[in-house]
Every structure is written in C-alpha cells, then in structure tokens.
C-alpha cells in the first residue's frame, strides 16, 4: 500500500501596499509596506518593497495614510450604540428642530418602549431653552423619551420615562419641566436601561464596535458604572468585542469596597476607574470650579458640583492601591482636578509612592489642571485620559469654554 502524501504546507500570502503615506516614526517618511499574512515585514519606499517582495500583488494606496489601529480610551459602548440607532441632535438649530426630529423618529419607530437621542446644544438657538416635558409628550405621542445634551451630563425626558423613574422627582437636579442634571440625571441614566432587553443591549454594543472598527479603531476602553447601567453590560461588551476581534479594556466606576472589587474582578474589569465622577461638565454647569461660571447661569452655588468628598477620593485610591487594581475618576473643573491630586497626595504616606505608581491610576478629562497638578500627577504615575476633540468642538474664540469661563481661564485649558 502506497504511503499517504503529506499535506502541502500553506504558502504565506504576501502583499505590497504602495504609493501611500505610512506612519512610521522616527523613520524617514515611508510610502510602502509589505505584508506577510497579518504581519508587516517591511516599511520603506516603493522600490524597496518591490525588491523584497518581487512579484507580489500590489495595492495602490493613492496617497492614503496607513497607521496602526487607534485606541479609543474613553467609550461607553452600549450607550454609543443606542445613540447611533437613535436620534443625532447635533445639527438641530432650535428646539423646534429637535421636536420635529422626535416626532418624525417616533412615527418611524412605533412600538419602541423608549426613544433615545443626544447632541442638543441650546447656546446658539433663537430661544436657548431645551424642549419641555410636555412638548416631548406631544411630539412622541406619549412614548418614553430621553434626549441628552451634547456633553451627556444633562438631559430632557418625557412624562412616560419619568413615570418609570419615580425616584428622580426628589433627586437633586430634578426640574418639573423635564430637565435633569446632577443626581437626577445620573439616576435616570441608570434606571432607564431596564427598558432595553439583553438582546437590544448586545445589538447596541455590536453597532458601536462595528462603527469604531470602520473608523480604524482596533481597541476600546469601556467605562462602565452604576450610573450608566448594570455591571453585566461589561460582560455583554466583552463577549461582543471578542466575537468581532476588537481589543477591550474595561473599568467599573464604583467607590472601592470588598463588594465593588469582587464585582470588578467577576466581569474582568481592569479596575475601579473610568467615569467615577468627582464632578460633571462645563457645558451643563456641573464641572466643579474654584471661581464661578462667567455666564451666571450655573446651578446651585454657581461653581458647579462635587459628587465625591475628599475622604471618599483618598479612600478609594488607598483601597484600590492596596488591592493592586487601578483607581480612577472623571474630573473636569479645576476644583475637581485639585481634589483628585489631593487624594493622591494623601494616599502616599498610607500606601507608599512606589505602590501608588505601580497601579498606574488614571484620570479622565482633567480639562482644567493647574501647572502644579501636572507635576504631581507625573510623580504619582497617573495616566491622563484626554479628549482633544473637546477642544476642537468647544475651545475656539467665542465658543463654549470662553462663554462659560471667560477668555483667561479658557486659554489655560
């Protein structure tokens, strides 16, 4: 009997990408690369690529930029998917345009339990007031509606949604006309998520991650927390990301305790970090400031709001450091950033500088950090998760930051 022939060894696929702009610092500007299967074997000029891979198929990039995949360091995956599937209000130039979009969307999506939108910005509207609860009721024919402001730190809601969340009527930041800020808004985001099924939440995660991948994002940092949705969302996002082959680092934004630490470990979170909010946002007048908001439309004291005390901040850092996990906070205003820096400073004599540095704790946004804050954060080994797009949207002359803070403070950002 003749011996069976050994199976032919698979030949690798070699491809040349040429006539592009290859991001390859610190090398001289490159125009081509050679791929062997999924590996890059050469970066350089077109002639060099052809020399090392003679005869390989070529892809003409026509001057396109080739970079490593991007990492989105601050994402709420399921909430982003809900927005993509919902109403994009960024282009609305008046409250009437918002209400028209709600009415049109509601008529096209009959049977939905809740309608979600994001992006309204009242600053340049003829009447700079968001839609009221009664107006949303009429536009949506009584369906539950949640419309977040562009910064997602305040929202307007309809009566049907408010009826699902009776506790918000006594929460700080509630207004009878349907505008929610502060704790009322956090509570609404947390509780309204029960109006979405498991299948819907997974579908929203898939929608957001596919959109990220289409934009060249190869990995995301998912920032969950009790005010955003259930901890099970981190499992949903991880399973969808694994299925799609997208990298994922997740965080659970809850103050440290034995229960919170166990919860984070159970869902594979890298730490108790992310959007654990010390304060809110500049656009919603809830970022915590040392000096009042310039435009005098602020809530409460006129200096924003602190959601965490100094003891809670330092205690969280100490407990996370002792557990060997990453701590972190959302902090935007100068008073909030200073509170975070103070928390790290108070943690040093308790856990030691080296233990603190090993954990690579992180801060989200830190838009109004003082010069001295940067030196301290570098000393403590803190990672800054920044969003330069905020400056592109709101940092220009006469834009949001100048309106809320004045030119001098805005320039320091």
């Amino acid at each position: 009997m003749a011996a069976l022939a050994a199976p032919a060894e698979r030949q690798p696929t070699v491809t040349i990408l040429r006539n592009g702009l290859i991001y390859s610092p610190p090398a001289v500007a490159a125009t081509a690369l050679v791929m062997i299967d999924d590996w890059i074997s050469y970066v350089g000029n077109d002639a060099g690529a052809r020399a090392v891979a003679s005869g390989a198929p070529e892809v003409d990039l026509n001057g396109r930029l080739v970079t490593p995949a991007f990492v989105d360091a601050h994402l709420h995956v399921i909430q982003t998917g809900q927005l993509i599937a919902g109403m994009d209000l960024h282009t609305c130039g008046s409250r009437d345009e918002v209400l028209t979009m709600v009415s049109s969307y509601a008529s096209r999506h009959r049977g939905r339990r809740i309608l979600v939108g994001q992006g309204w910005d009242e600053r340049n509207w003829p009447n700079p007031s968001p839609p009221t609860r009664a107006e949303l009721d009429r536009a949506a024919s009584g369906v539950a509606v949640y419309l977040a402001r562009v910064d997602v730190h305040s929202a307007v809601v309809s009566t049907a949604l408010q009826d699902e969340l009776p506790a918000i009527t006594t929460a700080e930041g509630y207004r009878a006309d349907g505008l929610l800020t502060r704790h009322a808004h956090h509570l609404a985001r947390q509780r309204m998520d029960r109006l979405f099924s498991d299948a819907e939440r997974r579908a929203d995660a898939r929608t957001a991650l596919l959109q990220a991948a289409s934009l060249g994002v190869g990995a995301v940092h998912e920032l969950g927390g009790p005010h955003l949705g259930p901890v099970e969302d981190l499992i949903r996002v991880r399973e969808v990301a694994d299925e799609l082959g997208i990298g994922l680092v997740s965080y659970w934004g809850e103050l440290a305790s034995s229960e919170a630490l166990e919860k984070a470990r159970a869902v594979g979170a890298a730490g108790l970090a992310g959007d654990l909010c010390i304060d809110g946002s500049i656009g919603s007048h809830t970022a915590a400031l040392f000096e009042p908001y310039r435009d005098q439309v602020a809530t409460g004291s006129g200096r924003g709001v602190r959601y965490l005390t100094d003891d809670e901040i330092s205690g969280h850092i100490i407990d996370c450091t002792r557990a060997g996990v990453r701590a972190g906070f959302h902090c935007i205003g100068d008073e909030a950033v200073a509170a975070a820096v103070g928390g790290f400073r108070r943690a040093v004599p308790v856990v030691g500088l080296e233990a603190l540095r090993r954990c690579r704790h992180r801060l989200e946004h830190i838009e109004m950090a003082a010069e001295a804050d940067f030196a301290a954060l570098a000393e403590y080994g803190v990672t800054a998760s920044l969003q330069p797009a905020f400056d592109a949207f709101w940092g220009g002359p006469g834009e949001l930051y100048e309106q809320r803070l004045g030119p001098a403070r805005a320039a320091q950002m």
Side-chain angles (χ1 to χ4, degrees):
M1 181 176 179
L4 294 175
E9 187 174 330
R10 188 188 74 84
Q11 295 299 310
T13 300
V14 181
T15 308
I16 297 173
L17 278 65
R18 64 171 184 83
N19 189 29
L21 176 61
I22 314 299
Y23 180 81
S24 56
V28 177
T31 62
L33 59 80
V34 175
M35 298 285 297
I36 300 178
D37 290 335
D38 293 331
W39 293 88
I40 297 173
S41 65
Y42 170 85
V43 175
N45 58 34
D46 290 14
R50 286 171 171 153
V52 301
S54 178
E58 298 183 4
V59 176
D60 188 348
L61 297 173
N62 289 313
R64 292 184 179 89
L65 174 66
V66 177
T67 78
F70 297 108
V71 176
D72 190 323
H74 186 118
L75 190 62
H76 310 293
V77 172
I78 290 175
Q79 288 75 18
T80 299
Q82 290 170 352
L83 168 62
I84 295 171
M87 292 169 278
D88 186 346
L89 308 174
H90 289 81
T91 60
C92 291
S94 68
R95 63 191 292 174
D96 288 340
E97 287 187 25
V98 172
L99 292 168
T100 298
M101 185 174 290
V102 171
S103 178
S104 174
Y105 188 87
S107 66
R108 299 194 314 271
H109 297 86
R110 298 189 186 279
R112 286 200 177 182
R113 297 180 66 192
I114 181 170
L115 310 179
V116 174
Q118 179 191 324
W120 59 267
D121 186 347
E122 79 293 351
R123 291 177 299 128
N124 297 314
W125 291 356
N127 176 5
S129 300
T132 65
R133 181 158 58 92
E135 290 171 333
L136 291 180
D137 292 344
R138 290 192 293 271
S141 302
V143 177
V145 180
Y146 168 88
L147 304 182
R149 194 182 180 278
V150 64
D151 55 11
V152 204
H153 279 265
S154 56
V156 287
V157 300
S158 68
T159 299
L161 180 55
Q162 179 175 302
D163 289 346
E164 292 279 351
L165 315 167
I168 67 173
T169 60
T170 58
E172 181 187 24
Y174 169 79
R175 276 180 24 181
D177 62 2
L179 179 63
L180 307 180
T181 64
R182 301 191 180 202
H183 292 293
H185 180 244
H186 286 177
L187 189 59
R189 287 193 70 173
Q190 175 187 0
R191 297 288 179 81
M192 78 173 192
D193 284 328
R194 66 187 178 187
L195 300 179
F196 295 90
S197 68
D198 173 74
E200 288 172 328
R201 300 181 78 74
R202 290 176 183 273
D204 289 330
R206 172 179 289 274
T207 295
L209 292 174
L210 285 174
Q211 173 78 349
S214 75
L215 297 172
V217 175
V220 301
H221 288 207
E222 161 67 357
L223 305 186
H227 64 292
L228 295 167
V231 71
E232 290 79 14
D233 276 352
L234 270 64
I235 298 175
R236 295 182 175 106
V237 172
R238 180 170 298 282
E239 289 176 351
V240 174
D242 287 347
E243 178 187 341
L244 297 176
I246 295 174
L248 178 72
V249 179
S250 59
Y251 296 96
W252 180 245
E254 184 176 352
L255 281 173
S257 66
S258 57
E259 179 182 357
L261 287 164
E262 180 54 37
K263 195 184 302 182
R265 292 189 183 99
V267 297
L272 296 174
D275 268 8
L276 177 54
C277 292
I278 294 179
D279 68 343
S281 74
I282 292 171
S284 291
H285 294 100
T286 51
L289 309 179
F290 283 121
E291 300 297 330
Y293 284 89
R294 181 199 191 196
D295 53 6
Q296 301 297 303
V297 192
T299 56
S301 68
R303 292 181 173 85
V305 60
R306 277 271 300 274
Y307 296 122
L308 299 177
T309 67
D310 288 347
D311 286 344
E312 286 174 326
I313 293 168
S314 57
H316 180 70
I317 295 168
I318 290 167
D319 289 345
C320 286
T321 303
R322 284 172 169 165
V325 302
R326 190 166 297 157
F329 304 97
H330 160 120
C331 50
I332 285 180
D334 52 4
E335 200 269 343
V337 176
V341 174
F344 288 114
R345 184 177 295 115
R346 289 188 298 275
V348 170
V350 179
V351 298
L353 179 59
E354 290 309 311
L356 198 69
R357 292 177 63 87
R358 278 196 300 272
C359 285
R360 301 297 293 172
H361 302 304
R362 62 184 267 160
L363 296 180
E364 308 297 321
H365 313 308
I366 59 170
E367 296 182 34
M368 295 184 68
E371 193 73 26
D373 293 338
F374 287 114
L377 294 173
E379 179 185 0
Y380 304 142
V382 175
T383 296
S385 170
L386 306 177
Q387 291 73 43
F390 287 1
D391 184 65
F393 292 144
W394 302 315
E399 254 296 344
L400 170 72
Y401 294 149
E402 279 198 3
Q403 292 173 7
R404 295 286 194 263
L405 306 171
R409 282 190 290 177
Q412 292 175 353
M413 297 171 62

